[in-house]
Amino acid sequence: MARPGSGLLVPVNGLGYPPQNLARVVVWEWLNEHGRWRPYGAAVCHHIENVLKGDARGTVVLGQVDAQLSPYIIDLQSMHQFRQDTGTMRPVQRNFYEPSSAPGKGVVWEWENDGGSWTPYDMEICVTIQNAYEKQHPWLDLTSLGFCYLIDFNGMSQTNRQSQRKRRLRRRMDLAYPLIMGSIPKSQSWPVGTSSGQPCSCQQCILVNSTRAASNAILASQRRKLYGGGAAAGNPGAAGTLNPVRPSNTFAGTSLWSSSSATSASSGANNNNISAGGGQAKAEQVPALLSNANFPCSPVMPSLSSAHAHHALTINGQNNLNRPGTQRISMGSARGTIPPGVPALPVKNLTGSGPVHPALAGMTGILMCAAGLPVCLTRAPKPILHPPPINKSDMKPVPGINGMRRKTKKKHLRRGKNPEDVVRRYTEKIKVAPDEDCTICMERLVMSSGYEGVLQHRGIKPELVGKLGKCGHMYHLLCLVAMYNNGNKQDGSLQCPTCKTIYGEKTGTQPPGKMEYHVIPHCLPGYADCRSIRIVYDIPAGIQTNEHPNPGKKFSARGFPRHCYLPDNDKGRKVLKLLITAWDRRLIFTIGTSSTTGESDTVVWNEIHHKTEFGSNLTGHGYPDPNYLDNVLTELSAQGVGEDNLKD
């Protein structure tokens, strides 16, 4: 049924700050690697709130309520999620929404991913979608929230405005998130109280408590160095730079300094306190305090850009209250300067290629700091997978290549050939067979084929021997027919089982999809003298056919569209032409088991390597790589796509 009213272009209004004495819905969230706050489920949030009531400085074991989260714990004092098997730490925050919003009603909006399962939206997006849904808007544009998606409530779908890819959308009811009453606590009152009762003696709690003790020692040491007594107290660390550990700006976590210390230190700045998320400092007063501080053992964390510094320091402790502007505060890319001679230990190595295990590096750094030894904890660089944003008008056709798109449709997938005709086309009969083995049936060539009685073809007798025209290898003709029949495709091509020489035009089992290619105005590392060619492959999930491993079964298509890059020079264009030929012959992808994830019945690369990393080479799939173009030409030739296939 059509929904009345006009569509919505901007975020739904009414997402401001409610009065402090009203009830609020609590949603706990964690920060993912893309800088988005992802909500925990309602049951997990109830569990966290229950632990919070008993011990504001406690530890939350997420596996007690959700088995899938068993590796994770949350330290309420530091407001971080800790993964015990890898040592990965992520910030968490306690966010608040109106009771009438989606989390207060238990409404969850989800989109269907490539695997056919459902993924919930960020809570901010969920609230916005629910608000528009309740107002009976027919559609909702999420562009102003930073996403190029259009929500269609009539068709219950999400459409990517750039690629026009459409996904299903659904609204379901779940457990409502926890509700609290009263005013939002100020940052100075959090955390409150101390742990009561006997400490747990399990290994997990010992690890958490020891980490917490070391962290407290670090903070105490930093306070002494920053605000130490004597003559230095009047001008603490004038030559240094402060890089504080930044808790979530929407949660009133533990202040880096106590209220009294902050007041004492800022006496020269009108006694304005600075605390995590506190609202008592003015933006123009912050640089003066930061520039006069020295924090040599601070973990190096990204700092807020100046454009957002006001939000970070003036938003009241726990009062984000679903304001899109404050939930998407961007993180600056600047890092603190590591003093000479100070060792740097990676806290989290995204590529897994570092010499130090992340958990070991993090614990070593904490203990070294607690002992007064200088160390800087750093984060490993992230791969640059994509170029800067590009306007559609800047995408140009590749010189010398017609068009910018190729499609593979179902009607192009198979062309059946008579096996006997294919074998006769590429072989010549041998009157006197040599006394050697047929490497297909392992019988002597002077004897009959091992397929005698198993396979019969009119005109091909079991004792006939043929020699392949190019390579000269000899086999029983009946064995070649059996080999051709046993393949999962009969496309009219034949491949020598000994030397892999291809006869005819080899085709693969790539599912239907789309290939696009164009020139973009950016250079690849190692190719500063030319622009770049971007290739975009897009294959949707579907059903396997008779040529695939499990006919009739669904196959997944993870990570599409996939972006690949070539230099826009003569050799790069040659590779692109051959890749287009390989795409037309359905050789780029196949259906099998992923070597990365171990997932079966999924679309995987088919032995023709591509460069999917644009601005770096941290994964080995990027530039610079001076041998890549030659290597991929060799791989294409092995698939029967050589330079003789190039058209002038």
Side-chain angles (χ1 to χ4, degrees):
M1 176 172 20
R3 297 171 63 86
S6 59
L8 195 60
L9 285 170
V10 296
V12 179
N13 293 327
L15 302 181
Y17 297 89
Q20 294 289 311
N21 57 353
L22 295 181
R24 290 165 188 82
V25 174
V26 180
V27 177
W28 285 80
E29 300 169 317
W30 57 277
L31 188 66
N32 69 9
E33 62 272 19
H34 305 296
R36 297 294 306 176
W37 288 101
R38 299 291 296 151
Y40 292 102
V44 174
C45 290
H46 278 279
H47 177 59
I48 299 174
E49 286 295 307
N50 289 335
V51 175
L52 183 64
K53 292 175 183 177
D55 183 4
R57 296 186 177 184
T59 300
V60 184
V61 182
L62 301 185
Q64 292 178 351
V65 68
D66 187 343
Q68 293 183 342
L69 300 180
S70 56
Y72 300 97
I73 58 175
I74 292 178
D75 181 19
L76 294 177
Q77 183 173 9
S78 65
M79 288 300 289
H80 275 78
Q81 170 190 277
F82 181 77
R83 178 161 181 164
Q84 301 171 85
D85 54 348
T86 64
T88 303
M89 298 178 69
R90 297 184 184 275
V92 299
Q93 70 178 14
R94 188 180 187 227
N95 213 346
F96 295 86
Y97 297 88
E98 296 283 356
S100 59
S101 63
K105 297 178 178 179
V107 175
V108 180
W109 285 88
E110 300 173 318
W111 54 273
E112 187 178 28
N113 58 35
D114 293 337
S117 57
W118 295 90
T119 303
Y121 285 94
D122 296 353
M123 190 55 67
E124 171 192 350
I125 305 296
C126 182
V127 170
T128 304
I129 294 175
Q130 176 63 17
N131 201 325
Y133 178 83
E134 291 176 351
K135 292 182 178 179
Q136 297 191 342
H137 291 290
W139 52 268
L140 171 65
D141 191 341
L142 298 179
T143 303
S144 55
L145 291 181
F147 299 92
C148 57
Y149 294 109
L150 188 67
I151 302 297
D152 178 14
F153 290 111
N154 293 326
M156 289 299 284
S157 63
Q158 165 195 286
T159 303
N160 188 313
R161 297 174 67 91
Q162 292 183 348
S163 66
Q164 297 302 310
R165 184 171 184 178
K166 185 177 292 187
R167 296 180 183 272
R168 288 198 300 165
L169 180 75
R170 79 174 183 181
R171 175 181 181 268
R172 67 176 179 85
M173 299 302 298
D174 199 354
L175 180 68
Y177 280 79
L179 188 70
I180 66 168
M181 301 292 293
S183 61
I184 298 176
K186 302 294 183 181
S187 59
Q188 289 86 348
S189 64
W190 181 266
V192 293
T194 57
S195 243
S196 59
Q198 295 297 322
C200 178
S201 60
C202 69
Q203 293 298 319
Q204 173 177 285
C205 291
I206 291 175
L207 172 62
V208 173
N209 291 330
S210 62
T211 303
R212 181 181 300 160
S215 300
N216 291 338
I218 295 170
L219 294 179
S221 172
Q222 292 164 351
R223 284 197 295 269
R224 288 194 299 270
K225 293 178 181 179
L226 184 58
Y227 306 115
N235 185 21
T241 301
L242 174 63
N243 292 302
V245 179
R246 175 185 170 271
S248 167
N249 64 336
T250 57
F251 177 79
T254 306
S255 299
L256 184 58
W257 311 281
S258 66
S259 181
S260 59
S261 298
T263 305
S264 172
S266 58
S267 58
N270 300 326
N271 291 329
N272 286 290
N273 297 340
I274 295 181
S275 58
Q280 302 177 15
K282 296 181 180 179
E284 61 269 18
Q285 295 168 342
V286 174
L289 178 60
L290 298 186
S291 62
N292 291 330
N294 182 21
F295 206 178
C297 292
S298 166
V300 179
M301 297 291 288
S303 59
L304 284 174
S305 62
S306 59
H308 298 96
H310 176 74
H311 292 286
L313 293 171
T314 60
I315 295 175
N316 195 12
Q318 292 176 334
N319 60 1
N320 196 4
L321 293 175
N322 196 37
R323 293 182 63 183
T326 59
Q327 283 197 345
R328 295 191 307 278
I329 290 178
S330 61
M331 302 295 291
S333 59
R335 295 177 181 269
T337 302
I338 301 177
V342 177
L345 296 177
V347 172
K348 180 188 176 189
N349 194 330
L350 296 178
T351 64
S353 59
V356 184
H357 189 278
L360 178 60
M363 290 299 298
T364 302
I366 289 173
L367 296 175
M368 288 176 68
C369 279
L373 300 175
V375 63
C376 290
L377 303 183
T378 65
R379 292 186 182 273
K382 293 183 179 181
I384 304 173
L385 300 179
H386 302 290
I390 303 168
N391 295 325
K392 193 171 183 179
S393 58
D394 293 331
M395 302 177 190
K396 306 298 182 182
V398 181
I401 298 179
N402 295 327
M404 299 174 67
R405 176 182 298 183
R406 310 285 284 195
K407 287 186 177 180
T408 303
K409 299 181 179 179
K410 292 183 178 180
K411 64 181 181 180
H412 297 152
L413 298 188
R414 296 193 58 183
R415 293 176 298 174
K417 301 290 182 179
N418 185 291
E420 183 179 336
D421 293 339
V422 172
V423 171
R424 290 186 182 278
R425 184 182 308 148
Y426 302 121
T427 59
E428 58 182 64
K429 291 183 180 179
I430 300 297
K431 294 182 179 179
V432 180
D435 188 18
E436 60 185 50
D437 288 339
C438 169
T439 57
I440 297 177
C441 68
M442 301 310 295
E443 297 286 349
R444 307 295 288 181
L445 288 175
V446 294
M447 307 292 292
S448 296
S449 167
Y451 285 92
E452 181 181 14
V454 178
L455 185 67
Q456 292 184 353
H457 268 264
R458 185 177 302 175
I460 295 185
K461 297 180 180 180
E463 63 271 12
L464 291 180
V465 175
K467 181 175 71 172
L468 291 171
K470 294 181 183 179
C471 62
H473 290 112
M474 290 179 282
Y475 308 92
H476 293 114
L477 294 182
L478 193 61
C479 292
L480 290 174
V481 171
M483 182 185 71
Y484 183 86
N485 283 337
N486 288 338
N488 54 8
K489 61 187 187 306
Q490 289 82 40
D491 57 2
S493 69
L494 199 64
Q495 187 168 19
C496 176
T498 301
C499 64
K500 307 303 180 185
T501 300
I502 296 173
Y503 295 84
E505 183 179 296
K506 178 183 177 181
T507 60
T509 60
Q510 175 180 291
K514 179 175 63 176
M515 174 187 184
E516 296 181 355
Y517 36 88
H518 47 256
V519 176
I520 58 176
H522 298 290
C523 301
L524 292 166
Y527 294 94
D529 57 342
C530 64
R531 297 177 298 175
S532 304
I533 298 172
R534 178 167 63 183
I535 307 171
V536 182
Y537 296 109
D538 197 3
I539 295 179
I543 305 296
Q544 299 182 54
T545 61
N546 291 335
E547 63 184 358
H548 295 134
N550 298 296
K553 186 177 180 180
K554 289 183 178 181
F555 67 84
S556 60
R558 310 290 186 195
F560 287 95
R562 299 187 185 182
H563 293 221
C564 311
Y565 303 95
L566 293 168
D568 183 28
N569 55 21
D570 291 340
K571 203 166 191 178
R573 295 184 202 119
K574 177 194 294 186
V575 170
L576 176 61
K577 290 179 181 179
L578 295 177
L579 288 175
I580 293 173
T581 300
W583 171 268
D584 291 340
R585 297 180 184 180
R586 305 169 54 223
L587 295 169
I588 302 292
F589 297 95
T590 187
I591 294 178
T593 300
S594 170
S595 59
T596 304
T597 65
E599 180 183 11
S600 59
D601 298 308
T602 189
V603 179
V604 296
W605 295 105
N606 187 34
E607 299 180 359
I608 301 176
H609 286 83
H610 287 65
K611 292 295 187 182
T612 56
E613 193 176 341
F614 177 80
S616 57
N617 196 17
L618 298 180
T619 65
H621 301 299
Y623 295 93
D625 185 348
N627 299 321
Y628 168 67
L629 296 180
D630 291 327
N631 291 341
V632 75
L633 286 173
T634 301
E635 292 172 345
L636 285 163
S637 179
Q639 298 285 346
V641 183
E643 296 189 25
D644 55 334
N645 297 112
L646 293 175
K647 298 179 181 179
D648 297 331

